[in-house]
Amino acid sequence: MGVDSAQAAVPAGAGTGTVTTAVPARLDRLPWSRWHWMIVIGLGTVWILDGLEVTIVGNVAGRLAEEGSGLAITSAQVTGIAAALYVAGACSGALFFGWLTDRYGRKKLFMVTLVVYLGATAMTALSFESWWFFLFRFLTGFGIGGEYAAINSAIDELIPSLYRGRVDLIINGSYWLGAIGGALLSIVMLDTDIFPKDLGWRLSFALGVVLGLVILLVRRHVPESPRWQFIHGRGEKAERLVSSVEREIEREKGEPLPPPAGEITIHQRKSIGFGTIAKTVFARYPRRAVLGLSLFIGQAFLYNAITFGFGAILTTFFDVPTGHTGYYFAAIAAGNFVGPLVLGKLFDTVGRRIMISSTYVLSGLLLFVTAWLFDRGSLTATTLTACWCVVLFFASTGASSAYLTVSEIFPMETRAMAIAFFYALGTAAGGISGPLVFAELTESGVVGDTVLAFQIGAGLMCAAGIVAAFLAVDAERRSLEDIAEPLSVVK
């Protein structure tokens, strides 16, 4: 059996004290199994919902503004006010639920945040006034923002170190599967030959609720993070959980597990103060904080340079009908998902530093080339989309690695809050600063303005890649406790 003597060192009850445990090493040496697939499906599929949600809103904006939609709202209000409120909700939800996740546990919060998302999405489908739509767009974002903090921390703490990079990247990249679904779904749902004007867009949101309920049922079986448990005075529960998983995997594989690599001694505590978290992230690990900020801001601006004015660029410069932009968006969304799927394994083999820096710099350089071709008038709607697909193949991998980076380079006690902070900052940069910078540029109808938008995004992406080349942490195949020593460790 994979159970070691550390079990005997766990004090009785759920109080706090000093405990020696091999739980991290036992989790990291597990082979890939059905149990890990259950975690991936239960936690990772929510990004599909996020992609579906955001894409549907973007595509139904025109329909909502039409007379007979059942909602008195303009297209500009949907893509402007509602989008900004969704971003504000995501930022505030990430920070609020991130703090609660570190304090009360991963499982409680990844259940609560999904329920918030489901309720708010259902209420959005029932919108009868613009203020109602705005309110529940904010609350939908509030739930989604909380999901990022709770789930990324749980995934990294449950997935073995050998697979952590590729799994995290593919899960974060699955957002684009939802985007593909949202783009194609909107084409069907907005067809008035199939659904009335006031029903199709509501059913689009309702489908998101149905998918979310399925995920909620699966997620009930995902356990609390044993790493969180043993630090927060619940060592016995952590030991029982890991032991049961070991027995299950040994039965599945038909052979005993190898012994764990080592133990760690920590002083258990029930909570960590916000001041301690901030001091740890910015004073103890300033280089890592700069790395996280650079990665998130770079990818936020690149994505806004391309996607914020996506429809306007196609319709303004290439006369693509508004109803057909969904097909083009589905194509670039596919490029976004394939990138992490194909390149993810290299983050665990070639290494974090070279892969993070190269995907950022390469996507930036390719966008510079795209801007040059666009400026020369050498592109059509199809070839521009093809260029975007190639750029985003690498950019999506880099953007996903930003989430991976901030979720593994800070101590266990601060992990969810660190994810929340960098996610909120990146989302704010992309959802607030980005539109202010790119809206007029991409919608002006002037080629030079759109070229400038591309160049800004490309330049910031290259800059972030250069920062990563110097500051990235070689975290591949290393335990989380080795990458960043827990604050509670007893030396």
Side-chain angles (χ1 to χ4, degrees):
M1 271 299 298
V3 181
D4 60 74
S5 59
Q7 287 176 302
V10 180
T16 58
T18 300
V19 58
T20 298
T21 180
V23 160
R26 290 162 68 187
L27 288 170
D28 280 336
R29 62 68 148 105
L30 293 176
W32 193 260
S33 66
R34 289 190 294 265
W35 185 76
H36 295 107
W37 277 118
M38 180 265 294
I39 293 169
V40 169
I41 295 171
L43 296 183
T45 44
V46 75
W47 299 161
I48 297 175
L49 284 180
D50 190 14
L52 183 76
E53 178 84 21
V54 173
T55 308
I56 283 176
V57 172
N59 283 288
V60 304
R63 173 54 46 81
L64 289 173
E66 294 176 3
E67 187 177 351
S69 70
L71 192 62
I73 196 170
T74 67
S75 179
Q77 286 178 318
V78 177
T79 57
I81 298 174
L85 286 171
Y86 182 86
V87 169
C91 294
S92 54
L95 294 171
F96 177 71
F97 287 121
W99 176 71
L100 292 179
T101 297
D102 279 332
R103 188 177 183 88
Y104 296 109
R106 286 38 173 149
K107 180 163 186 172
K108 285 182 180 178
L109 272 298
F110 65 59
M111 296 297 287
V112 169
T113 52
L114 183 56
V115 170
V116 170
Y117 163 82
L118 289 173
T121 302
M123 292 297 101
T124 302
L126 299 176
S127 296
F128 56 92
E129 292 284 353
S130 58
W131 67 265
W132 181 280
F133 185 83
F134 295 148
L135 171 63
F136 287 103
R137 288 308 296 157
F138 174 86
L139 292 176
T140 301
F142 195 71
I144 284 292
E147 286 277 289
Y148 275 92
I151 290 178
N152 272 303
S153 54
I155 288 171
D156 278 5
E157 291 164 13
L158 292 169
I159 298 298
S161 57
L162 185 64
Y163 308 98
R164 189 174 62 240
R166 73 197 76 175
V167 170
D168 200 298
L169 261 66
I170 292 171
I171 285 176
N172 279 288
S174 68
Y175 169 98
W176 295 100
L177 283 178
I180 296 171
L184 299 178
L185 179 66
S186 64
I187 295 172
V188 176
M189 291 299 184
L190 298 183
D191 188 341
T192 53
D193 291 334
I194 302 175
F195 298 106
K197 281 186 178 182
D198 62 346
L199 180 61
W201 66 269
R202 298 182 189 275
L203 292 178
S204 298
F205 286 111
L207 181 60
V209 176
V210 173
L211 293 176
L213 288 172
V214 173
I215 294 173
L216 186 64
L217 293 175
V218 176
R219 190 174 286 184
R220 291 183 309 155
H221 303 291
V222 177
E224 179 58 87
S225 164
R227 282 178 157 101
W228 183 89
Q229 287 177 323
F230 77 72
I231 282 183
H232 288 78
R234 303 176 187 181
E236 288 186 338
K237 290 184 178 180
E239 296 290 344
R240 285 197 300 269
L241 172 58
V242 175
S243 296
S244 67
V245 172
E246 288 171 332
R247 288 192 295 270
E248 178 183 330
I249 292 177
E250 285 183 335
R251 285 195 298 269
E252 178 184 336
K253 303 298 181 182
E255 58 184 16
L257 294 170
E263 298 178 335
I264 185 172
T265 300
I266 58 99
H267 179 73
Q268 297 173 310
R269 57 174 89 187
K270 291 184 180 295
S271 63
I272 308 293
F274 187 79
T276 301
I277 293 173
K279 183 179 179 180
T280 300
V281 172
F282 295 104
R284 184 173 175 179
Y285 295 105
R287 290 165 59 90
R288 297 184 182 190
V290 170
L291 172 66
L293 292 174
S294 300
L295 295 181
F296 268 91
I297 291 174
Q299 61 88 23
F301 274 88
L302 177 134
Y303 271 94
N304 274 273
I306 294 179
T307 61
F308 185 81
F310 172 80
I313 291 170
L314 292 177
T315 56
T316 301
F317 295 104
F318 302 105
D319 297 321
V320 175
T322 304
H324 290 175
T325 58
Y327 294 109
Y328 292 90
F329 191 84
I332 67 169
N336 274 285
F337 176 66
V338 173
L341 190 65
V342 173
L343 301 178
K345 184 177 181 180
L346 299 179
F347 283 75
D348 288 320
T349 54
V350 174
R352 304 286 202 264
R353 184 186 302 270
I354 189 170
M355 290 305 300
I356 294 172
S357 59
S358 61
T359 52
Y360 268 76
V361 171
L362 189 54
S363 61
L365 292 176
L366 288 169
L367 185 54
F368 273 125
V369 172
T370 302
W372 176 69
L373 292 173
F374 183 80
D375 191 34
R376 291 185 58 197
S378 302
L379 299 175
T380 64
T382 300
T383 54
L384 176 62
T385 302
C387 288
W388 281 339
C389 284
V390 177
V391 170
L392 296 174
F393 174 88
F394 296 102
S396 176
T397 309
S400 295
S401 73
Y403 292 94
L404 167 66
T405 297
V406 299
S407 68
E408 66 181 1
I409 63 174
F410 295 105
M412 158 66 210
E413 299 89 337
T414 69
R415 182 162 296 121
M417 197 62 212
I419 296 168
F421 172 79
F422 290 106
Y423 166 77
L425 188 72
T427 302
I432 300 173
S433 304
L436 291 175
V437 173
F438 297 123
E440 293 185 6
L441 291 178
T442 56
E443 295 176 359
S444 68
V446 178
V447 170
D449 289 348
T450 298
V451 169
L452 177 60
F454 287 177
Q455 290 173 337
I456 293 172
L460 288 172
M461 200 70 171
C462 287
I466 294 171
V467 170
F470 289 96
L471 300 185
V473 179
D474 299 317
E476 60 274 6
R477 300 185 298 278
R478 292 170 62 190
S479 73
L480 296 173
E481 291 73 22
D482 182 40
I483 298 168
E485 185 178 75
L487 301 180
S488 308
V489 73
V490 176
K491 299 181 180 180

